[in-house]
Amino acid sequence: MQVVYEDNHIIVVYKESGEIVQGDKTGDTPLSETVKAYIKEKYQKPGAVFLGVVHRLDRPVSGLVVFARTSKALSRLNEMFRKGEVHKTYWALVQPSGNPVTSNTFVTATHWLTRNEKQNKSYAYDREVTGSKKAVLRYRTIGQTERYQLVEVELLTGRHHQIRCQLSTLGMPIRGDLKYGAKRSNPDGSISLLSHHVEFIHPVSKQKIVLDSPLPDDKIWHNIAFFDK
């Protein structure tokens, strides 16, 4: 676990791919428990450590996760996420099915997503269908490797597997994401989607917090040629 930012009210950590944020039926130790143990040891806290989960990342995704260290921060962060006041930017390595895109201009994509619980998968439609929820994101291409393009994504809604599903529907499956159309898996079981940037007004101090994630320990992320802005 890598701590990117911490104070008395919040802690932001880098999640490795493969880690779960909260406990699930697998019984694997979640990131939240690892953070609690870190806080307990560092600050010599007796008894149970309070830690509030305000958002999640899919297990194969890496990047920044924000936790609340106090109930005051938790309630305020929950409201900020609900209102869209926490701004997150994702980076995804994709393999376009068409011609490569080299534009830094943001494009807005809108779909309606349905969720199949048994498959743990979402499906995208160009129009509203029964049981669907509107999903909106903005994306632009900011770099490339020999075989992949680096797409920057801003979520305007928060739906199940939204980035994975929408990019796949747009003909840009994420590297390693077999569930959504990638041709092969990544050696470590990850998908090349990174919660790269987060910014928000601190729920207690009201200072602006702006944070960037480290890059995953995979050489492809360190060989990206970025386009000139």
Side-chain angles (χ1 to χ4, degrees), residues 138-151:
R138 298 185 340 132
Y139 69 95
R140 63 177 181 168
T141 306
I142 61 171
Q144 64 186 8
T145 68
E146 188 176 335
R147 294 172 51 197
Y148 298 94
Q149 289 195 291
L150 179 65
V151 174

Side-chain angles (χ1 to χ4, degrees), residues 10 46 65 67-68 81 96 113 135 148-149 158 165 208:
I10 64 174
V65 182
F67 293 99
F81 269 95
L113 304 190
Y148 298 94
Q149 289 195 291
C165 182
K208 188 172 184 178

Side-chain angles (χ1 to χ4, degrees), residues 24-55:
D24 64 8
K25 60 185 178 183
T26 65
D28 295 341
T29 301
L31 182 61
S32 56
E33 291 301 317
T34 304
V35 175
K36 283 183 183 180
Y38 161 82
I39 293 170
K40 187 177 183 66
E41 181 178 353
K42 180 174 180 178
Y43 298 101
Q44 297 294 301
K45 283 188 171 290
V49 172
F50 179 89
L51 191 75
V53 177
V54 293
H55 71 111

Side-chain angles (χ1 to χ4, degrees), residues 207-226:
Q207 292 182 325
K208 188 172 184 178
I209 304 295
V210 180
L211 302 169
D212 286 331
S213 168
L215 293 177
D217 187 20
D218 180 341
K219 64 181 181 181
I220 193 169
W221 283 100
H222 298 270
N223 289 329
I224 296 169
F226 288 87

Side-chain angles (χ1 to χ4, degrees), residues 40-181:
K40 187 177 183 66
E41 181 178 353
K42 180 174 180 178
Y43 298 101
Q44 297 294 301
K45 283 188 171 290
V49 172
F50 179 89
L51 191 75
V53 177
V54 293
H55 71 111
R56 298 172 181 83
L57 293 180
D58 294 341
R59 186 165 193 158
V61 178
S62 56
L64 299 177
V65 182
V66 182
F67 293 99
R69 289 192 56 196
T70 61
S71 57
K72 178 190 290 187
L74 177 60
S75 61
R76 292 180 182 179
L77 279 170
N78 280 335
E79 183 70 4
M80 290 165 64
F81 269 95
R82 189 184 68 80
K83 291 181 176 179
E85 294 173 352
V86 179
H87 304 287
K88 294 194 295 177
T89 302
Y90 294 79
W91 282 2
L93 283 168
V94 303
Q95 191 163 28
S97 56
N99 294 324
V101 179
T102 57
S103 173
N104 261 310
T105 304
F106 274 107
V107 177
T108 300
T110 302
H111 295 93
W112 279 261
L113 304 190
T114 61
R115 180 175 180 178
N116 185 308
E117 295 281 357
K118 286 187 176 180
Q119 295 178 325
N120 189 30
K121 185 176 180 180
S122 291
Y123 292 86
Y125 300 86
D126 291 331
R127 56 182 174 80
E128 188 173 7
V129 300
T130 303
S132 64
K133 294 182 178 180
K134 189 176 183 180
V136 186
L137 55 75
R138 298 185 340 132
Y139 69 95
R140 63 177 181 168
T141 306
I142 61 171
Q144 64 186 8
T145 68
E146 188 176 335
R147 294 172 51 197
Y148 298 94
Q149 289 195 291
L150 179 65
V151 174
E152 185 173 77
V153 179
E154 294 180 358
L155 278 178
L156 302 183
T157 55
R159 307 300 182 202
H160 176 258
H161 289 183
Q162 182 178 336
I163 296 175
R164 300 167 66 181
C165 182
Q166 283 194 272
L167 289 185
S168 175
T169 302
L170 293 166
M172 298 184 291
I174 296 172
R175 174 179 175 263
D177 197 358
L178 296 179
K179 180 171 283 191
Y180 289 97

Side-chain angles (χ1 to χ4, degrees), residues 1-20:
M1 185 197 71
Q2 184 174 343
V3 177
V4 178
Y5 175 88
E6 67 178 303
D7 61 30
N8 290 336
H9 292 279
I10 64 174
I11 182 168
V12 183
V13 302
Y14 171 76
K15 182 185 98 65
E16 299 275 3
S17 64
E19 289 184 305
I20 51 175

